């Protein structure tokens, strides 16, 4: 997915964060740890879908979940739909 130029271009306009749930790969330092990330995912995003792409807005030490994109089968099959999701939030941010 990230190899698609359309998606890479949109992602370049976001601050991307990768959060591993469960087992964190060797050599990766992450806070919260994998179990804490799992609790965060379940509590904040209310989904077990992986990968999961939430759009969040920082609020001091907290954050506001604006929207999210994830599919139960963990695959994004419609690149144009995913690109429209990303573009919608970029356009929304320009208005604010």
């Amino acid at each position: 997915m990230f190899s698609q130029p359309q998606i890479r271009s949109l992602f370049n306009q976001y601050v991307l964060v990768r959060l591993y749930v469960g087992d964190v790969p060797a050599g990766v330092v992450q806070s919260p740890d994998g179990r804490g990330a799992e609790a965060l995912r379940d509590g904040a995003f209310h989904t077990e879908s992986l990968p999961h792409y939430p759009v969040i807005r920082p609020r001091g030490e907290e954050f506001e979940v604006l929207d999210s994109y994830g599919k139960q089968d963990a695959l994004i099959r419609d690149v144009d739909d995913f690109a429209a999701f990303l573009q919608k939030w970029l356009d929304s941010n320009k208005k604010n």
Side-chain angles (χ1 to χ4, degrees), residues 13 19 27 34 36-40 42 44 47 49 56 60 67 75 87 90:
Q13 299 174 67
L19 188 62
E38 193 171 328
L40 175 65
D42 295 347
T47 185
S49 174
I56 62 174
D67 202 355
L75 297 175
Q87 188 63 56
L90 291 171

Side-chain angles (χ1 to χ4, degrees), residues 48-96:
E48 293 181 8
S49 174
L50 294 173
H52 183 76
Y53 300 93
V55 176
I56 62 174
R57 177 178 291 142
R59 297 281 188 219
E61 294 292 318
E62 302 293 320
F63 61 88
E64 173 187 9
V65 179
L66 301 176
D67 202 355
S68 62
Y69 192 98
K71 303 296 183 188
Q72 290 304 320
D73 66 2
L75 297 175
I76 295 171
R77 300 179 194 281
D78 188 337
V79 174
D80 291 333
D81 185 58
F82 186 50
F85 165 79
L86 295 171
Q87 188 63 56
K88 172 180 79 171
W89 289 105
L90 291 171
D91 293 345
S92 173
N93 191 50
K94 289 176 186 173
K95 293 176 188 173
N96 294 329

Side-chain angles (χ1 to χ4, degrees), residues 5-26:
Q6 177 184 21
I7 301 302
R8 275 199 325 254
S9 174
L10 290 164
F11 272 166
N12 285 338
Q13 299 174 67
Y14 281 86
V15 174
L16 300 179
V17 176
R18 179 177 289 167
L19 188 62
Y20 292 98
V21 298
D23 295 329
V24 177

